Amino acid sequence: MQNEVAPQKHTSTRRQWAQRYTLGTLTGNLIVYGFLVLLFIVTFFPFWHIFVLSLNDASDPTYGQFMMWPSAFSLESYKTVLNDAEILNSIVVTVGRTVIGVPLTLACIAMLAYALSKRELVGWRGINLFFVFTMYFSGGLIPTYMVVRSLNLIDNFWVFIFPGLISIFWMILVRTYMENLPKEMEEAAQIEGANDIQIFLKVIIPVCTPVLATITLFSAISHWNAWYDSYIYTYNPKLKTLSAVLVKILNQFQTNDMLSTAQQLANEQRKMPVSSESIRMAVTMVATLPIILMYPLLQKYFLKGMLIGAVKG
């Protein structure tokens, strides 16, 4: 009888522990998911609020109040923004610097990272320290401006490309990723008669897709959102980037002129009027949406590239 009672006690004890574990796991999951939902609401609501206001009629009495969707739908703000010559020109400049700057940045970073991933390189440690030194110490704004001016890049489109062509932090990510690749791949290619350029283009680059996609996303965001270099190095209005124009509009430097034109068009065509607030919201959405749409395309590479590229220091 004692032998029959003992297994029953063990079985009941296991069931109790299993129930406690299941209850604890469920509670933990609820806390985690609840926190994530709250974090999503906190981060997503400001963006949604701007989006709703940009689509709402500015003459609506409820404009600016809390609303989950437009109470009076209107596209007048977007029409006003997209009819503005300066904004259209800034979009062209921003798209141009992104389309040109991202591939050049990827090419330069990949080549530099591949060279510095070879520890047998003469002076490898000193060269790496030279590059890392620039991450912590810079010449400052005035010396940088003097260098840019001496290169005749003031009021030049290429001032958006050359000064920030290489990011040392991104290079370290790519270099670390390459250092973790099996050496047997390069050895096999060398046995087949491939030279260094062929190995780099046909062996290394294809397997570095995750980290290069991550750098692509970083670089595209950096170029698209850049405004300070446009503010410092360009005076020609035709070279202003979209973010620089957005800063001007948010500071109400151009809103009054745009509004007067918009009101004339509205009166002539009997359309809904716009306000300075609706214009700001519409410009913000125009500047934000394109770069946000890149995340779903590169999301599957982003986390993998960040984790593998940061295994070593």
Side-chain angles (χ1 to χ4, degrees):
M1 292 294 295
Q2 293 179 353
N3 293 335
E4 294 178 358
V5 173
Q8 293 178 358
K9 291 182 177 180
H10 287 298
T11 302
S12 62
T13 302
R14 291 175 182 173
R15 289 178 180 174
Q16 292 176 357
W17 278 107
Q19 292 176 355
R20 292 178 181 177
Y21 175 77
T22 304
L23 182 60
T25 303
L26 180 61
T27 304
N29 289 337
L30 289 176
I31 294 174
V32 171
Y33 285 113
F35 174 75
L36 292 177
V37 170
L38 179 62
L39 182 63
F40 171 77
I41 294 174
V42 171
T43 54
F44 179 74
F45 174 73
F47 174 80
W48 180 253
H49 181 65
I50 293 174
F51 179 66
V52 170
L53 290 181
S54 67
L55 293 175
N56 201 75
D57 179 15
S59 63
D60 181 31
T62 62
Y63 185 86
Q65 301 178 8
F66 174 81
M67 59 182 73
M68 293 302 298
W69 48 80
S71 59
F73 183 80
S74 173
L75 292 176
E76 290 305 311
S77 298
Y78 286 97
K79 292 179 181 179
T80 302
V81 168
L82 296 179
N83 284 329
D84 186 79
E86 186 172 8
I87 292 181
L88 292 177
N89 182 78
S90 66
I91 292 175
V92 173
V93 173
T94 303
V95 171
R97 70 173 292 176
T98 303
V99 171
I100 297 174
V102 172
L104 288 178
T105 296
L106 281 179
C108 294
I109 287 179
M111 290 187 291
L112 179 59
Y114 180 65
L116 295 182
S117 66
K118 306 299 181 182
R119 293 181 178 267
E120 62 272 17
L121 179 68
V122 178
W124 176 85
R125 185 176 297 276
I127 296 175
N128 274 274
L129 289 176
F130 173 79
F131 282 105
V132 173
F133 180 84
T134 62
M135 291 179 60
Y136 302 101
F137 303 97
S138 65
L141 178 60
I142 295 178
T144 303
Y145 182 87
M146 294 174 65
V147 172
V148 172
R149 186 178 63 179
S150 65
L151 295 175
N152 295 323
L153 291 177
I154 300 298
D155 261 346
N156 191 320
F157 174 80
W158 294 104
V159 76
F160 301 138
I161 308 297
F162 292 142
L165 196 58
I166 294 179
S167 169
I168 304 303
F169 174 70
W170 300 347
M171 185 275 293
I172 292 175
L173 287 179
V174 180
R175 184 203 67 187
T176 306
Y177 190 99
M178 292 180 176
E179 288 177 345
N180 293 329
L181 297 176
K183 301 299 181 183
E184 290 78 7
M185 294 192 307
E186 296 186 47
E187 295 174 356
Q190 290 174 350
I191 293 175
E192 295 295 329
N195 55 36
D196 291 335
I197 297 178
Q198 292 174 330
I199 293 174
F200 173 71
L201 294 177
K202 297 182 179 180
V203 178
I204 301 300
I205 294 298
V207 298
C208 289
T209 301
V211 70
L212 292 179
T214 304
I215 300 305
T216 299
L217 181 61
F218 286 164
S219 181
I221 293 174
S222 177
H223 278 290
W224 188 268
N225 292 332
W227 70 274
Y228 193 67
D229 52 359
S230 177
Y231 179 75
I232 295 295
Y233 302 126
T234 61
Y235 305 102
N236 187 351
K238 294 183 179 180
L239 288 176
K240 295 299 181 181
T241 60
L242 180 58
S243 295
V245 174
L246 175 60
V247 170
K248 290 177 63 177
I249 293 176
L250 293 179
N251 290 331
Q252 296 182 347
F253 290 147
Q254 286 185 320
T255 303
N256 293 333
D257 294 337
M258 293 177 62
L259 276 178
S260 60
T261 304
Q263 292 293 347
Q264 292 176 3
L265 292 174
N267 293 332
E268 292 175 359
Q269 302 176 12
R270 297 181 181 179
K271 294 181 179 180
M272 298 180 182
V274 295
S275 67
S276 60
E277 189 71 15
S278 63
I279 288 180
R280 293 187 194 125
M281 300 305 173
V283 175
T284 302
M285 292 305 303
V286 170
T288 305
L289 274 179
I291 202 64
I292 289 179
L293 296 178
M294 287 192 62
Y295 280 94
L297 301 176
L298 301 176
Q299 183 181 9
K300 62 180 180 179
Y301 301 110
F302 180 73
L303 184 59
K304 183 178 179 182
M306 283 297 295
L307 292 179
I308 298 179
V311 172
K312 296 181 181 179

mmCIF file of all heavy atoms in Angstrom, residues 267-304:
data_model
loop_
_atom_site.group_PDB
_atom_site.id
_atom_site.type_symbol
_atom_site.label_atom_id
_atom_site.label_comp_id
_atom_site.label_asym_id
_atom_site.label_seq_id
_atom_site.Cartn_x
_atom_site.Cartn_y
_atom_site.Cartn_z
ATOM 1 N N ASN A 267 -10.375 79.731 -52.930
ATOM 2 C CA ASN A 267 -11.472 80.633 -53.272
ATOM 3 C C ASN A 267 -11.861 80.508 -54.742
ATOM 4 O O ASN A 267 -13.042 80.573 -55.104
ATOM 5 C CB ASN A 267 -11.078 82.076 -52.954
ATOM 6 C CG ASN A 267 -10.919 82.301 -51.459
ATOM 7 O OD1 ASN A 267 -11.564 81.615 -50.661
ATOM 8 N ND2 ASN A 267 -10.067 83.241 -51.083
ATOM 9 N N GLU A 268 -10.828 80.330 -55.586
ATOM 10 C CA GLU A 268 -11.121 80.221 -57.006
ATOM 11 C C GLU A 268 -11.841 78.918 -57.340
ATOM 12 O O GLU A 268 -12.745 78.872 -58.149
ATOM 13 C CB GLU A 268 -9.822 80.329 -57.812
ATOM 14 C CG GLU A 268 -9.181 81.713 -57.744
ATOM 15 C CD GLU A 268 -7.836 81.737 -58.451
ATOM 16 O OE1 GLU A 268 -7.440 80.668 -58.964
ATOM 17 O OE2 GLU A 268 -7.200 82.793 -58.484
ATOM 18 N N GLN A 269 -11.370 77.819 -56.701
ATOM 19 C CA GLN A 269 -11.914 76.514 -57.037
ATOM 20 C C GLN A 269 -12.963 76.036 -56.029
ATOM 21 O O GLN A 269 -13.461 74.922 -56.144
ATOM 22 C CB GLN A 269 -10.762 75.501 -57.105
ATOM 23 C CG GLN A 269 -9.691 75.888 -58.116
ATOM 24 C CD GLN A 269 -8.519 74.921 -58.097
ATOM 25 O OE1 GLN A 269 -8.603 73.858 -57.500
ATOM 26 N NE2 GLN A 269 -7.428 75.293 -58.757
ATOM 27 N N ARG A 270 -13.288 76.908 -55.058
ATOM 28 C CA ARG A 270 -14.286 76.581 -54.052
ATOM 29 C C ARG A 270 -13.954 75.273 -53.308
ATOM 30 O O ARG A 270 -14.789 74.399 -53.139
ATOM 31 C CB ARG A 270 -15.673 76.477 -54.689
ATOM 32 C CG ARG A 270 -16.162 77.784 -55.287
ATOM 33 C CD ARG A 270 -17.534 77.629 -55.885
ATOM 34 N NE ARG A 270 -17.984 78.888 -56.484
ATOM 35 C CZ ARG A 270 -19.155 79.025 -57.094
ATOM 36 N NH1 ARG A 270 -19.986 77.990 -57.189
ATOM 37 N NH2 ARG A 270 -19.487 80.190 -57.609
ATOM 38 N N LYS A 271 -12.745 75.185 -52.908
ATOM 39 C CA LYS A 271 -12.297 74.004 -52.170
ATOM 40 C C LYS A 271 -12.179 74.337 -50.697
ATOM 41 O O LYS A 271 -12.249 75.481 -50.288
ATOM 42 C CB LYS A 271 -10.960 73.509 -52.712
ATOM 43 C CG LYS A 271 -11.058 72.989 -54.137
ATOM 44 C CD LYS A 271 -9.715 72.483 -54.605
ATOM 45 C CE LYS A 271 -9.805 71.933 -56.026
ATOM 46 N NZ LYS A 271 -8.509 71.441 -56.505
ATOM 47 N N MET A 272 -11.967 73.295 -49.919
ATOM 48 C CA MET A 272 -11.875 73.484 -48.473
ATOM 49 C C MET A 272 -10.585 74.220 -48.127
ATOM 50 O O MET A 272 -9.527 73.944 -48.700
ATOM 51 C CB MET A 272 -11.891 72.128 -47.767
ATOM 52 C CG MET A 272 -13.172 71.342 -48.003
ATOM 53 S SD MET A 272 -13.136 69.748 -47.157
ATOM 54 C CE MET A 272 -14.713 69.085 -47.679
ATOM 55 N N PRO A 273 -10.618 75.160 -47.195
ATOM 56 C CA PRO A 273 -9.424 75.905 -46.835
ATOM 57 C C PRO A 273 -8.448 75.052 -46.026
ATOM 58 O O PRO A 273 -8.808 74.030 -45.479
ATOM 59 C CB PRO A 273 -9.981 77.055 -45.986
ATOM 60 C CG PRO A 273 -11.244 76.514 -45.398
ATOM 61 C CD PRO A 273 -11.811 75.609 -46.454
ATOM 62 N N VAL A 274 -7.200 75.536 -45.965
ATOM 63 C CA VAL A 274 -6.167 74.855 -45.182
ATOM 64 C C VAL A 274 -5.647 75.827 -44.147
ATOM 65 O O VAL A 274 -5.897 77.025 -44.194
ATOM 66 C CB VAL A 274 -5.016 74.371 -46.087
ATOM 67 C CG1 VAL A 274 -5.500 73.307 -47.042
ATOM 68 C CG2 VAL A 274 -4.404 75.541 -46.850
ATOM 69 N N SER A 275 -4.907 75.309 -43.199
ATOM 70 C CA SER A 275 -4.323 76.128 -42.149
ATOM 71 C C SER A 275 -2.844 75.812 -42.050
ATOM 72 O O SER A 275 -2.344 74.850 -42.633
ATOM 73 C CB SER A 275 -5.008 75.844 -40.802
ATOM 74 O OG SER A 275 -4.725 74.538 -40.366
ATOM 75 N N SER A 276 -2.110 76.647 -41.281
ATOM 76 C CA SER A 276 -0.685 76.402 -41.089
ATOM 77 C C SER A 276 -0.443 75.066 -40.412
ATOM 78 O O SER A 276 0.517 74.356 -40.720
ATOM 79 C CB SER A 276 -0.080 77.536 -40.258
ATOM 80 O OG SER A 276 -0.711 77.615 -38.990
ATOM 81 N N GLU A 277 -1.330 74.706 -39.493
ATOM 82 C CA GLU A 277 -1.180 73.424 -38.786
ATOM 83 C C GLU A 277 -1.358 72.250 -39.742
ATOM 84 O O GLU A 277 -0.597 71.277 -39.704
ATOM 85 C CB GLU A 277 -2.205 73.333 -37.655
ATOM 86 C CG GLU A 277 -2.015 72.140 -36.722
ATOM 87 C CD GLU A 277 -0.793 72.285 -35.844
ATOM 88 O OE1 GLU A 277 -0.254 73.396 -35.737
ATOM 89 O OE2 GLU A 277 -0.377 71.268 -35.259
ATOM 90 N N SER A 278 -2.358 72.318 -40.613
ATOM 91 C CA SER A 278 -2.589 71.215 -41.551
ATOM 92 C C SER A 278 -1.443 71.081 -42.539
ATOM 93 O O SER A 278 -1.078 69.975 -42.939
ATOM 94 C CB SER A 278 -3.908 71.428 -42.287
ATOM 95 O OG SER A 278 -3.871 72.611 -43.066
ATOM 96 N N ILE A 279 -0.860 72.221 -42.938
ATOM 97 C CA ILE A 279 0.287 72.174 -43.841
ATOM 98 C C ILE A 279 1.469 71.512 -43.158
ATOM 99 O O ILE A 279 2.170 70.669 -43.747
ATOM 100 C CB ILE A 279 0.652 73.592 -44.318
ATOM 101 C CG1 ILE A 279 -0.391 74.092 -45.308
ATOM 102 C CG2 ILE A 279 2.028 73.607 -44.970
ATOM 103 C CD1 ILE A 279 -0.111 75.466 -45.837
ATOM 104 N N ARG A 280 1.718 71.854 -41.909
ATOM 105 C CA ARG A 280 2.819 71.221 -41.180
ATOM 106 C C ARG A 280 2.627 69.716 -41.086
ATOM 107 O O ARG A 280 3.572 68.938 -41.258
ATOM 108 C CB ARG A 280 2.917 71.822 -39.780
ATOM 109 C CG ARG A 280 3.332 73.271 -39.751
ATOM 110 C CD ARG A 280 3.578 73.724 -38.332
ATOM 111 N NE ARG A 280 3.644 75.172 -38.259
ATOM 112 C CZ ARG A 280 2.899 75.930 -37.475
ATOM 113 N NH1 ARG A 280 2.006 75.372 -36.681
ATOM 114 N NH2 ARG A 280 3.029 77.228 -37.461
ATOM 115 N N MET A 281 1.417 69.302 -40.782
ATOM 116 C CA MET A 281 1.143 67.878 -40.664
ATOM 117 C C MET A 281 1.341 67.163 -42.000
ATOM 118 O O MET A 281 1.905 66.063 -42.059
ATOM 119 C CB MET A 281 -0.286 67.650 -40.156
ATOM 120 C CG MET A 281 -0.570 68.250 -38.795
ATOM 121 S SD MET A 281 0.600 67.669 -37.541
ATOM 122 C CE MET A 281 0.137 68.702 -36.146
ATOM 123 N N ALA A 282 0.875 67.787 -43.084
ATOM 124 C CA ALA A 282 1.006 67.165 -44.400
ATOM 125 C C ALA A 282 2.469 67.055 -44.817
ATOM 126 O O ALA A 282 2.905 66.017 -45.334
ATOM 127 C CB ALA A 282 0.219 67.964 -45.434
ATOM 128 N N VAL A 283 3.252 68.105 -44.584
ATOM 129 C CA VAL A 283 4.676 68.060 -44.932
ATOM 130 C C VAL A 283 5.394 67.014 -44.093
ATOM 131 O O VAL A 283 6.274 66.285 -44.585
ATOM 132 C CB VAL A 283 5.319 69.450 -44.746
ATOM 133 C CG1 VAL A 283 6.816 69.382 -44.979
ATOM 134 C CG2 VAL A 283 4.690 70.447 -45.688
ATOM 135 N N THR A 284 5.039 66.908 -42.822
ATOM 136 C CA THR A 284 5.645 65.896 -41.962
ATOM 137 C C THR A 284 5.376 64.495 -42.488
ATOM 138 O O THR A 284 6.272 63.632 -42.503
ATOM 139 C CB THR A 284 5.108 66.036 -40.530
ATOM 140 O OG1 THR A 284 5.379 67.356 -40.040
ATOM 141 C CG2 THR A 284 5.758 65.011 -39.606
ATOM 142 N N MET A 285 4.153 64.233 -42.932
ATOM 143 C CA MET A 285 3.821 62.919 -43.475
ATOM 144 C C MET A 285 4.560 62.660 -44.786
ATOM 145 O O MET A 285 5.054 61.550 -45.019
ATOM 146 C CB MET A 285 2.315 62.811 -43.697
ATOM 147 C CG MET A 285 1.496 62.797 -42.422
ATOM 148 S SD MET A 285 1.994 61.498 -41.260
ATOM 149 C CE MET A 285 1.816 60.052 -42.273
ATOM 150 N N VAL A 286 4.661 63.672 -45.640
ATOM 151 C CA VAL A 286 5.376 63.511 -46.905
ATOM 152 C C VAL A 286 6.843 63.189 -46.648
ATOM 153 O O VAL A 286 7.449 62.373 -47.363
ATOM 154 C CB VAL A 286 5.244 64.787 -47.760
ATOM 155 C CG1 VAL A 286 6.176 64.740 -48.965
ATOM 156 C CG2 VAL A 286 3.807 64.952 -48.231
ATOM 157 N N ALA A 287 7.426 63.778 -45.612
ATOM 158 C CA ALA A 287 8.833 63.535 -45.310
ATOM 159 C C ALA A 287 9.054 62.233 -44.551
ATOM 160 O O ALA A 287 10.168 61.700 -44.559
ATOM 161 C CB ALA A 287 9.382 64.705 -44.481
ATOM 162 N N THR A 288 8.023 61.703 -43.919
ATOM 163 C CA THR A 288 8.188 60.536 -43.051
ATOM 164 C C THR A 288 7.806 59.223 -43.726
ATOM 165 O O THR A 288 8.499 58.213 -43.556
ATOM 166 C CB THR A 288 7.347 60.710 -41.775
ATOM 167 O OG1 THR A 288 7.699 61.933 -41.139
ATOM 168 C CG2 THR A 288 7.589 59.562 -40.811
ATOM 169 N N LEU A 289 6.723 59.222 -44.469
ATOM 170 C CA LEU A 289 6.190 57.972 -45.016
ATOM 171 C C LEU A 289 7.167 57.188 -45.891
ATOM 172 O O LEU A 289 7.293 55.971 -45.727
ATOM 173 C CB LEU A 289 4.904 58.254 -45.795
ATOM 174 C CG LEU A 289 3.609 58.276 -44.980
ATOM 175 C CD1 LEU A 289 2.427 58.586 -45.885
ATOM 176 C CD2 LEU A 289 3.395 56.946 -44.272
ATOM 177 N N PRO A 290 7.878 57.819 -46.828
ATOM 178 C CA PRO A 290 8.753 57.024 -47.705
ATOM 179 C C PRO A 290 9.797 56.214 -46.951
ATOM 180 O O PRO A 290 10.047 55.054 -47.287
ATOM 181 C CB PRO A 290 9.411 58.085 -48.595
ATOM 182 C CG PRO A 290 8.441 59.210 -48.611
ATOM 183 C CD PRO A 290 7.840 59.234 -47.242
ATOM 184 N N ILE A 291 10.396 56.803 -45.923
ATOM 185 C CA ILE A 291 11.452 56.076 -45.208
ATOM 186 C C ILE A 291 10.852 55.005 -44.304
ATOM 187 O O ILE A 291 11.478 53.970 -44.055
ATOM 188 C CB ILE A 291 12.332 57.061 -44.401
ATOM 189 C CG1 ILE A 291 13.682 56.443 -44.106
ATOM 190 C CG2 ILE A 291 11.645 57.517 -43.146
ATOM 191 C CD1 ILE A 291 14.512 56.169 -45.326
ATOM 192 N N ILE A 292 9.630 55.231 -43.819
ATOM 193 C CA ILE A 292 8.974 54.213 -43.002
ATOM 194 C C ILE A 292 8.665 52.974 -43.836
ATOM 195 O O ILE A 292 8.765 51.835 -43.354
ATOM 196 C CB ILE A 292 7.695 54.779 -42.371
ATOM 197 C CG1 ILE A 292 8.050 55.795 -41.278
ATOM 198 C CG2 ILE A 292 6.830 53.668 -41.780
ATOM 199 C CD1 ILE A 292 6.848 56.417 -40.616
ATOM 200 N N LEU A 293 8.328 53.179 -45.093
ATOM 201 C CA LEU A 293 7.983 52.059 -45.967
ATOM 202 C C LEU A 293 9.186 51.169 -46.276
ATOM 203 O O LEU A 293 9.014 50.060 -46.798
ATOM 204 C CB LEU A 293 7.381 52.587 -47.273
ATOM 205 C CG LEU A 293 6.054 53.335 -47.127
ATOM 206 C CD1 LEU A 293 5.582 53.859 -48.468
ATOM 207 C CD2 LEU A 293 4.990 52.423 -46.513
ATOM 208 N N MET A 294 10.393 51.636 -45.978
ATOM 209 C CA MET A 294 11.581 50.812 -46.217
ATOM 210 C C MET A 294 11.735 49.715 -45.173
ATOM 211 O O MET A 294 12.336 48.676 -45.443
ATOM 212 C CB MET A 294 12.845 51.677 -46.227
ATOM 213 C CG MET A 294 13.015 52.547 -47.447
ATOM 214 S SD MET A 294 14.676 53.245 -47.524
ATOM 215 C CE MET A 294 15.677 51.758 -47.637
ATOM 216 N N TYR A 295 11.220 49.945 -43.972
ATOM 217 C CA TYR A 295 11.422 48.977 -42.898
ATOM 218 C C TYR A 295 10.855 47.597 -43.212
ATOM 219 O O TYR A 295 11.542 46.584 -42.990
ATOM 220 C CB TYR A 295 10.821 49.520 -41.597
ATOM 221 C CG TYR A 295 11.708 50.517 -40.899
ATOM 222 C CD1 TYR A 295 11.560 51.880 -41.118
ATOM 223 C CD2 TYR A 295 12.696 50.108 -40.023
ATOM 224 C CE1 TYR A 295 12.369 52.811 -40.491
ATOM 225 C CE2 TYR A 295 13.514 51.027 -39.391
ATOM 226 C CZ TYR A 295 13.348 52.372 -39.617
ATOM 227 O OH TYR A 295 14.162 53.284 -39.008
ATOM 228 N N PRO A 296 9.617 47.474 -43.713
ATOM 229 C CA PRO A 296 9.117 46.124 -44.008
ATOM 230 C C PRO A 296 9.959 45.381 -45.040
ATOM 231 O O PRO A 296 10.063 44.149 -44.987
ATOM 232 C CB PRO A 296 7.696 46.385 -44.535
ATOM 233 C CG PRO A 296 7.313 47.708 -43.967
ATOM 234 C CD PRO A 296 8.576 48.498 -43.928
ATOM 235 N N LEU A 297 10.578 46.120 -45.976
ATOM 236 C CA LEU A 297 11.374 45.485 -47.010
ATOM 237 C C LEU A 297 12.683 44.921 -46.475
ATOM 238 O O LEU A 297 13.189 43.916 -46.974
ATOM 239 C CB LEU A 297 11.659 46.483 -48.141
ATOM 240 C CG LEU A 297 10.433 47.081 -48.844
ATOM 241 C CD1 LEU A 297 10.866 48.119 -49.873
ATOM 242 C CD2 LEU A 297 9.612 45.983 -49.505
ATOM 243 N N LEU A 298 13.249 45.576 -45.460
ATOM 244 C CA LEU A 298 14.562 45.180 -44.940
ATOM 245 C C LEU A 298 14.496 44.605 -43.535
ATOM 246 O O LEU A 298 15.531 44.343 -42.925
ATOM 247 C CB LEU A 298 15.505 46.394 -44.954
ATOM 248 C CG LEU A 298 15.733 47.041 -46.325
ATOM 249 C CD1 LEU A 298 16.597 48.286 -46.183
ATOM 250 C CD2 LEU A 298 16.384 46.055 -47.282
ATOM 251 N N GLN A 299 13.293 44.391 -43.012
ATOM 252 C CA GLN A 299 13.153 43.959 -41.631
ATOM 253 C C GLN A 299 13.782 42.589 -41.377
ATOM 254 O O GLN A 299 14.415 42.360 -40.356
ATOM 255 C CB GLN A 299 11.673 43.911 -41.250
ATOM 256 C CG GLN A 299 11.423 43.530 -39.793
ATOM 257 C CD GLN A 299 9.942 43.480 -39.467
ATOM 258 O OE1 GLN A 299 9.105 43.571 -40.367
ATOM 259 N NE2 GLN A 299 9.609 43.344 -38.214
ATOM 260 N N LYS A 300 13.648 41.662 -42.336
ATOM 261 C CA LYS A 300 14.155 40.309 -42.124
ATOM 262 C C LYS A 300 15.675 40.276 -42.049
ATOM 263 O O LYS A 300 16.253 39.337 -41.507
ATOM 264 C CB LYS A 300 13.659 39.380 -43.229
ATOM 265 C CG LYS A 300 14.135 39.754 -44.623
ATOM 266 C CD LYS A 300 13.589 38.771 -45.642
ATOM 267 C CE LYS A 300 14.050 39.112 -47.057
ATOM 268 N NZ LYS A 300 13.529 38.140 -48.045
ATOM 269 N N TYR A 301 16.344 41.298 -42.617
ATOM 270 C CA TYR A 301 17.796 41.357 -42.553
ATOM 271 C C TYR A 301 18.296 42.177 -41.377
ATOM 272 O O TYR A 301 19.446 42.033 -40.960
ATOM 273 C CB TYR A 301 18.362 41.980 -43.837
ATOM 274 C CG TYR A 301 18.001 41.241 -45.096
ATOM 275 C CD1 TYR A 301 17.115 41.786 -46.010
ATOM 276 C CD2 TYR A 301 18.566 40.003 -45.383
ATOM 277 C CE1 TYR A 301 16.788 41.117 -47.177
ATOM 278 C CE2 TYR A 301 18.238 39.321 -46.545
ATOM 279 C CZ TYR A 301 17.359 39.884 -47.440
ATOM 280 O OH TYR A 301 17.031 39.218 -48.588
ATOM 281 N N PHE A 302 17.455 43.047 -40.856
ATOM 282 C CA PHE A 302 17.915 44.060 -39.903
ATOM 283 C C PHE A 302 18.468 43.437 -38.625
ATOM 284 O O PHE A 302 19.611 43.671 -38.232
ATOM 285 C CB PHE A 302 16.773 45.015 -39.571
ATOM 286 C CG PHE A 302 17.149 46.096 -38.609
ATOM 287 C CD1 PHE A 302 17.948 47.138 -39.015
ATOM 288 C CD2 PHE A 302 16.714 46.056 -37.299
ATOM 289 C CE1 PHE A 302 18.306 48.146 -38.129
ATOM 290 C CE2 PHE A 302 17.065 47.055 -36.412
ATOM 291 C CZ PHE A 302 17.861 48.094 -36.830
ATOM 292 N N LEU A 303 17.655 42.598 -37.940
ATOM 293 C CA LEU A 303 18.072 42.033 -36.662
ATOM 294 C C LEU A 303 19.257 41.103 -36.830
ATOM 295 O O LEU A 303 20.207 41.135 -36.041
ATOM 296 C CB LEU A 303 16.894 41.288 -36.017
ATOM 297 C CG LEU A 303 17.149 40.714 -34.617
ATOM 298 C CD1 LEU A 303 17.528 41.826 -33.664
ATOM 299 C CD2 LEU A 303 15.919 39.969 -34.125
ATOM 300 N N LYS A 304 19.221 40.272 -37.875
ATOM 301 C CA LYS A 304 20.321 39.343 -38.112
ATOM 302 C C LYS A 304 21.619 40.089 -38.368
ATOM 303 O O LYS A 304 22.673 39.734 -37.842
ATOM 304 C CB LYS A 304 19.985 38.438 -39.294
ATOM 305 C CG LYS A 304 21.043 37.373 -39.572
ATOM 306 C CD LYS A 304 20.614 36.492 -40.738
ATOM 307 C CE LYS A 304 21.677 35.442 -41.033
ATOM 308 N NZ LYS A 304 21.317 34.588 -42.190
#
